[in-house]
Amino acid sequence: MHPYAGSPALGTATIDLAAIAHNLRVVADAAEVGVIAVVKADGYGHGAVPVARTLVGAGAVGLGVAQVAEALALRAGAITAPITAWLHTPDTDFQAAIAAGIDVGVSSSRQLAALVAAAEHLGETATVTIKVDTGMNRSGVARDEWAGFVDDFARARAAGAVALRGVMSHLACGDEPDNPANTDQADLLRAAVADLNAIGAIPELVHLANSPAALTRRDLAFDTVRPGVALFGLNPVPQHSRADLIPAMT
């Protein structure tokens, strides 16, 4: 347990870290693969650093956050596990991300160019996860830009500016396990990976499934799943899964 307090007038949240470790094991058992544990938004308000430390200790293969600043805060908290950050603004500090060994998710050729420039400035190779838009239509390399992106990535990789760690996408209908769009998105992700394989870029990890898909669709698990809210004890699909999740906050 650890207390997570704001102003005394607002009360105190008590976080059961053992529950978080338990929930990780439940999700991993359901998906039958490893887990990239999402701890964005300060660990969904549970305290990112102690939660991340617990999840890594319980077997998470990596951590996921939205912004580079969140990843750097975890590094400042002595979290050394792999961290992927995938949402960026034009002023995101890619040099700091590279220097801290952050796996940077890229969603466009423009982001890739900015990351390559940062890597060349530092004289280092950036670790990259390519985010593919397979139907969420929120972020990720768009389908009509994909061929050009692959060419740009091939040049950056040949120059030694980037190394591929992963390929990822987000489900649009993950909380509807039977929706055929989920399978369609998985097929598009496989096609994107095949295109990268054709240029010699073999990802270490391919991931698509969020919390609901991790609990209900083993066929969408790929190499690892990427749950968030389920790790904190919230079942997003109680009508489809009776997973033994324990709420972590009181």
Side-chain angles (χ1 to χ4, degrees):
M1 299 276 186
H2 82 91
Y4 190 58
S7 164
L10 299 177
T12 299
T14 299
I15 311 304
D16 184 349
L17 295 175
I20 291 174
H22 165 85
N23 295 336
L24 175 76
R25 290 189 288 271
V26 169
V27 174
D29 287 348
E32 298 182 341
V33 294
V35 173
I36 292 177
V38 180
V39 292
K40 64 184 180 180
D42 196 24
Y44 290 78
H46 292 68
V49 170
V51 164
R53 189 177 298 119
T54 296
L55 288 164
V56 172
V61 300
L63 302 166
V65 294
Q67 300 175 347
V68 165
E70 295 174 304
L72 297 176
L74 291 174
R75 287 285 187 257
I79 303 298
T80 59
I83 305 171
T84 306
W86 55 72
L87 286 178
H88 314 298
T89 58
D91 61 349
T92 293
D93 190 347
F94 288 130
Q95 288 190 38
I98 295 167
I102 305 303
D103 172 22
V104 179
V106 293
S107 292
S108 67
S109 287
R110 179 190 59 77
Q111 285 185 352
L112 177 63
L115 186 65
V116 167
E120 290 175 343
H121 181 82
L122 292 174
E124 297 186 19
T125 299
T127 300
V128 171
T129 284
I130 296 172
K131 187 176 182 187
V132 185
D133 181 10
T134 58
M136 184 72 166
N137 297 319
R138 185 177 68 188
S139 68
V141 183
R143 273 181 269 182
D144 61 353
E145 298 175 355
W146 176 247
F149 177 89
V150 172
D151 290 342
D152 292 339
F153 186 81
R155 285 190 290 271
R157 182 171 170 269
V162 296
L164 182 63
R165 179 170 188 258
V167 181
M168 66 180 287
S169 190
H170 276 300
L171 288 170
C173 303
D175 56 351
E176 302 171 23
D178 298 327
N179 193 314
N182 295 319
T183 301
D184 292 343
Q185 286 194 252
D187 290 342
L188 288 170
L189 184 58
R190 290 187 187 95
V193 171
D195 290 339
L196 292 166
N197 289 349
I199 64 167
I202 312 298
E204 299 173 25
L205 296 173
V206 178
H207 41 104
L208 173 66
N210 54 4
S211 286
L215 293 172
T216 62
R217 293 286 303 266
R218 287 193 182 102
D219 59 313
L220 303 182
F222 287 88
D223 299 311
T224 183
V225 293
R226 202 178 58 244
V229 293
L231 301 176
F232 303 97
L234 176 64
N235 186 343
V237 282
Q239 68 274 37
H240 298 286
S241 170
R242 297 176 65 105
D244 178 28
L245 301 172
I246 301 172
M249 179 186 290
T250 53

